[in-house]
Amino acid sequence: MSIMGAINPVLTAGLDGDKSWRLQDYMARGGYAMLKKVLAEQIPAETIVAAIKASVLRGRGGAGFPTGLKWSFMPHSLSGDKYIVCNTDEGEPGTFKDRDLIHYNPHAVIEGMAIGAYAIGANRGYNYIHGEIWELYKRFEEALDEARNAGFIGQSILGSDFSFELFAHHGYGAYICGEETALLESIEGKKGQPRFKPPFPASFGLYGRPTTVNNTETLASIPFIMQMGGEAFLNLGKPNNGGTKLFSVSGHVNRPGNYELPMGTPFATLMEMCGGMRGGRKLKAVIPGGSSSPVVPAETIMKCTLDYDSISKAGSMLGSGAVIVMDETVCMVKALEQLSRFYHEESCGQCTPCREGTGWLYDIVHRIEAGEGRAGDLEILLRISENIAGRTVCALGDAAAMPVESFVRHFRDEFMYHIEHKTCLVPKEAQWAGSDFYCAEA
Amino acid sequence: MLEIEINGKKAEVPEGSTIIEAAQLAGVYIPHFCYHRKLSIAASCRMCLVEVEKAAKPLPACATPATNGMRVFTHSALAVKAQKSVMEFLLINHPLDCPICDQGGECQLQDLAVGYGDTKSGFAEKKHVTEGKSAGPLVSMREMSRCIHCTRCVRFGQEIAGVMELGMAYRSTHSEITTFLGRAIESELSGNLVDVCPVGALTSRPFRYLARSWELVGHRSVSPHDSIGANITVQTKAGRVMRVLPRENDEVNECWLTDKDRFSYTALHTEERLTKPMLKQGGKWHEVSWNDALDYVAHGLKDIAANAGSDALAALAAPWATVEELYLLRKLMRGLGTDNVDYRLRRQDFSLDGKYVGASWLGMKIADVRHLDSILIVGSFLRKDHPLLTQRLRHAVQKHHAEINLISVTDDDPKLDLYTRQNVSPAGLPLALAAVVKEVAQIRGVALPELAFVPESEIAKWIAASLLRVKHKAILFGHVAEQVGTAGFLHQLGLKLAELTGATFGFLGEAANSVGGQLLGLGKETNTRQMFANPHQAYLLFGFEPELDCANPAEALTALKGAKMTALFTPFKHAPALEYADALLPLAAFTETSGTYVNIEGRVQSFAGALSPVGEARPGWKILRVLANTLNVPGFAFTGSEEVLHEAWQEAGVSVDAEGFASGLNNNLAVTPALTLPPPEEMPEGALERIADVPIYFTDPTVRRAAPLQETSSAALPDARVCAATLARLGISAGNTVIVRQGAGTARLAVAVDESVPEGCLRVAAGHPLTSALGGMFDPVFVERV
């Protein structure tokens, strides 16, 4: 179990049993009660959307867009197929929360999707699951079978006139397919490349039909919001940052893993729950919201609370809540090289600034790391980042640019040292000591 | 209309315009690569980023809709910075070796780099290199490192050519445009890829490294290879045609060309060109002077006319001969006292001669084809016979789900989504079409007792419903429907169906000047079939090769071999003609003569010669003029082809309107359509019905000699295609070699199983030397084991 701790848990409450993912277990926890209620009482779609709006549930995939507002974009009057799509294409370095939801609480996702479909008028749904977590794809299929057999999805659900077919679809591991329009292309059987927007999926989505794409955690929260009411969910967190959220902590802490915390919990509390820094070393920096969010130095992040607004004020993003913790043994050039390589390899290659820029960024960072840095490299890096950001079809370009800019800004001395001395400012011995691999070898 | 301001200039633009379209209307150029006005929007090159008031980020002009009151700045600091940065990105992995690039001088990237790039780049890393690919004889993909991934070629394939032969594989800088698993590009429109590619990645293989764009002189011309008369620019250098490019005309070919139009020039400067007149004397061929050659032909004609009467003379011209040539040929023959002239070489049924009200045509403008909602096409190898019309149909299907119904004789893939398709034997066409007529008549409550016996069919119901459901509809006849023995009856059925449904009735058109020939009234008194079936003593053959371009090569050859004199006007040395001809007169190629074609929509298109004829070859109208002078036929004092055209139209009573369309186009008949089905032709015991297509690169003498086209898979050797059931009945296995026999003519062909060939039929292509001894294209055929 990689859900390591929680405060006032919602999504992860009661998941301690080893059959928590089974339908029976979920129903024993009160699962599907909300779907039943919605259908039995024929709660109007607007009421549901209003509740979600009141909860200030913001998209958990990283962008933080208010879910209720997104749902309200769906054209209700339009007849024909409409889709709700769950984005479980969790591929960003540092992010590993949705897989645990699918692993331990898949029925919450299914119920959330069914209620969502009801609220936005969708008749079909897909859950697009990252290609590299095949077991979880199979698990979700099993959960779907259970739900289907119990009549929670399918035709005339629970005797109502609401029909909703839900399917699982697995990708093949391309990061770009987590971008909602690339994901839709991928479901359609095409190469996963983002579409130019507008039109947005709500008007031209899957197979050209109105579609809403939500993150797994977002959809899993829906039944609970329905249960406790929008206000109550909001009050779990803080104003404009409703509810609880999963944080995936990785890096140099003693107890890495997923933590569910109310929005607005101090970062220091999370660090405590993680058992503090490994080996008692000093915290150097944190990437608070997945690899595409700007890095934040230790002193700044320790003053933050975990919510969209506070992290944003600190110059970064809460993103998907993937907290990458780095201690003093980390060479920031090496760390950026890893990130830049990722974005270079994962750029879909469609639009010029991202295709060419991400490769160029990686080339330079790699060169600096390899001791071949040149004077002026940092200026070129910053210029490239600036030229990528805001000029691409999708947000991957921004995601590739932001780490570069923040790493250079906060840790310029390390980069300069690398260029001038052809080696790391952090002594190699310290880096080795901080790395379990080298320790094991020694 | 919307009002929008671009760089302070106000412009009124139609609702739904994008910024780039609006800018074009306002006369402001916005740099771009991936945008192409005929293709869908990709918005991926980012070169067209512009500043829009109130937008935080620069926006791609190609994909951003113009809105009322929008203020756009294409040269603001924000826009220029974005454009410069995109140009820098495009160039970092692009080889900067323009002087050795084939595209140099006509490269969009080169031009825009000068206009919008910086003189220096910060890039000092290794460039990414992409391996070249081999993509067949027409398009070179040798230098894919030059690719800027605009995906125009990919979109062209999907949207225009109807076949996705190119795709972008891999991601990031590893992205590369590639064919699927190393296949060749086989689309009949593939040359357009060279045009849509903005850089030197996709280049023309026949043209590569032969000339620089600034050395070339362009000449406006018209393609002679199919019925639409694609507008072309013939580019020459030092007396040679170096390449042919489309001349944009949205009404005709848009900005596209078929590969046939584009690459046929490769036949023009080959060893095979006939450069001097030749005469056969005492069984031996000699090169002679024009005087001697024309004297010989003139004497021959005179003697035969004097001895056997002028009805012993016959003249046949290619349907791609110009209006001027056709007119002068008939005038010459009339001067000799006969009307024996025809150009309808592939027809078998002339029963409607004398009953046509006007010239058979498309029935509408070419540009209107894409507005059709329901179309019934009868008897056509659609994609290979009419690539650009098919492209317009494809557009209609893609844009507004037009319903295309195809009744034809094979299942050849038209690469467009068909609503219905029915595959019948050529002899079955009348019944299949009659079933539709009957169905429509029933729905309309019209009694058609003649068709009472026609069996009902499910497909006919679908077609009828489709035609009756929509407003814009047409019934269009292809080559097969014009060339089978029941063509006249089919025409009458088509007219009836058009009358009952309110659809437009038309023809897709056999050749570049089929309409022109009919407007001139050629073939009213006699026809090709008569001229070959009843051997004549003298034949003038103008611009074609009888054993390859006629409906019944065996019959033609028999007639020619028995003739006292055969003179062939031809641009090429033609080996088989050395047997049956007595005189070979070097004719100028289509680029070397002035002339006029009337395309299938009745558009009169005149063109001038792009360059002087090769050797002593001469434009056809001039040869005919001198021949007439030699014969003392009066009325041949023309000094220019325009004079010939003027007289031709005057004589035929044809006027040409201000837009360039001829009068006298009419598909109606002077008789009420007779719907009584002709009795089916008796099939001899053991015979199969032949289905003959003329494969796309065998259609005329020029195309047949274009080496790059002959290397494509579309120019594969003809084989004998037959369905498994028929094959089993014959007791032959696939892969066997068989003797295919029609009358005395035979061909040795490999047998291939093809389930798209209707039962009881044998598909053997025409237009190829291998099958040139055979008989009629749709006549009975026998298969014998070797």
Side-chain angles (χ1 to χ4, degrees), chain A residues 323-335:
Chain A
V323 180
I324 303 171
V325 180
M326 293 178 276
D327 71 14
E328 56 193 344
T329 67
V330 172
C331 167
M332 296 310 272
V333 179
K334 182 81 190 164

Side-chain angles (χ1 to χ4, degrees), chain A residues 174 191 193 196 344-347 349-353 355-357 360 367 374 383 386-387 390-393, chain B residues 43-46 57 60 63 81 85 88-90 93 122-125 148-149 168 170-175:
Chain A
K191 187 180 180 188
Q193 286 186 338
F196 179 76
H344 166 46
E345 290 298 331
E346 295 295 340
S347 164
Q350 178 184 203
C351 68
T352 308
R355 178 186 64 244
E356 304 294 340
W360 193 2
R367 210 162 30 70
R374 297 189 279 253
R383 192 165 63 82
E386 198 190 337
N387 285 342
R391 309 232 170 107
T392 50
V393 169
Chain B
S44 63
C45 77
R46 317 307 280 182
K57 301 191 271 188
K81 191 159 180 255
S85 71
E88 182 178 28
F89 283 135
L90 283 172
N93 281 316
F123 185 76
E125 319 302 322
I148 56 166
H149 309 91
M168 192 162 90
Y170 313 118
R171 290 195 302 249
S172 190
T173 33
H174 316 298
S175 295

Side-chain angles (χ1 to χ4, degrees), chain B residues 452-773:
Chain B
F453 74 98
V454 174
E456 289 188 357
S457 86
E458 193 57 33
I459 285 188
K461 287 194 168 79
W462 279 64
I463 299 172
S466 167
L467 285 172
L468 290 173
R469 188 162 46 229
V470 300
K471 190 161 160 235
H472 304 289
K473 47 199 158 185
I475 299 148
L476 300 173
F477 277 18
H479 288 184
V480 183
E482 288 198 82
Q483 293 169 353
V484 288
T486 50
F489 177 68
L490 287 172
H491 188 145
Q492 300 180 68
L493 273 181
L495 279 176
K496 189 73 198 171
L497 186 57
E499 178 199 319
L500 290 171
T501 55
T504 306
F505 175 59
F507 294 87
L508 294 169
E510 285 186 271
N513 207 21
S514 302
V515 177
Q518 203 177 358
L519 282 174
L520 292 175
L522 260 70
K524 258 186 190 157
E525 287 78 12
T526 181
N527 62 57
T528 308
R529 182 153 217 187
Q530 277 175 12
M531 281 186 269
F532 280 139
N534 314 315
H536 290 53
Q537 293 193 17
Y539 285 96
L540 295 184
L541 307 176
F542 195 95
F544 70 100
E545 293 162 347
E547 74 284 8
L548 299 173
D549 292 317
C550 289
N552 192 330
E555 200 173 72
L557 285 183
T558 310
L560 295 176
K561 281 177 185 156
K564 288 205 170 115
M565 187 194 76
T566 298
L568 191 65
F569 296 66
T570 171
F572 300 101
K573 286 174 197 148
H574 182 48
L578 299 180
E579 294 273 315
Y580 55 75
D582 306 286
L584 294 179
L585 306 175
L587 186 63
F590 70 97
T591 50
E592 299 161 358
T593 179
S594 58
T596 304
Y597 289 135
V598 183
N599 79 358
I600 194 59
E601 59 176 348
R603 185 185 293 269
V604 179
Q605 305 193 98
S606 293
F607 51 91
L611 67 180
S612 311
V614 168
E616 290 180 23
R618 290 293 172 264
W621 71 271
K622 287 189 179 172
I623 304 176
L624 291 168
R625 181 188 63 185
V626 180
L627 181 58
N629 293 341
T630 314
L631 282 160
N632 291 323
V633 176
F636 273 83
F638 301 103
T639 55
S641 63
E642 307 79 17
E643 289 172 28
V644 182
L645 182 68
H646 182 75
E647 186 182 301
W649 284 156
Q650 209 164 32
E651 208 249 16
V654 172
S655 62
V656 179
D657 68 18
E659 287 168 59
F661 291 98
S663 65
L665 307 168
N666 198 327
N667 292 323
N668 289 328
L669 298 173
V671 291
T672 323
L675 300 186
T676 314
L677 248 69
E681 290 216 12
E682 198 91 353
M683 284 291 279
E685 175 78 24
L688 300 176
E689 201 179 332
R690 180 175 172 198
I691 298 174
D693 56 324
V694 184
I696 183 165
Y697 301 138
F698 298 163
T699 51
D700 64 60
T702 313
V703 168
R704 283 194 288 264
R705 288 174 174 82
L709 295 177
Q710 294 308 316
E711 286 169 33
T712 62
S713 62
S714 301
L717 284 184
D719 48 11
R721 310 189 76 82
V722 59
C723 69
T726 312
L727 197 65
R729 197 149 52 75
L730 294 168
I732 297 170
S733 334
N736 281 4
T737 302
V738 291
I739 303 278
V740 173
R741 182 184 301 280
Q742 281 183 300
T746 58
R748 269 176 83 97
L749 300 171
V751 173
V753 174
D754 182 344
E755 285 311 316
S756 77
V757 178
E759 168 90 60
C761 296
L762 183 76
R763 179 172 178 177
V764 176
H768 193 276
L770 213 53
T771 61
S772 63

Side-chain angles (χ1 to χ4, degrees), chain B residues 319-331:
Chain B
W320 49 84
T322 62
V323 170
E324 292 83 350
E325 290 163 343
L326 291 176
Y327 172 73
L328 290 185
L329 187 62
R330 188 185 53 183
K331 187 167 184 182

Side-chain angles (χ1 to χ4, degrees), chain A residues 11 103 131 165 188 230 236 241 248 282 294 367 372 392 441:
Chain A
L11 293 169
H103 201 165
E165 296 290 354
E188 289 181 9
L236 287 173
N241 296 272
S248 313
K282 214 174 118 199
R367 210 162 30 70
E372 292 165 25
T392 50
E441 268 178 37

Side-chain angles (χ1 to χ4, degrees), chain B residues 178-205:
Chain B
T178 178
T179 55
F180 186 67
L181 296 180
R183 280 192 206 161
I185 300 174
E186 293 184 344
S187 161
E188 68 287 353
L189 297 173
S190 70
N192 297 298
L193 292 168
V194 175
D195 292 346
V196 298
C197 179
V199 296
L202 305 180
T203 51
S204 158
R205 257 191 83 179

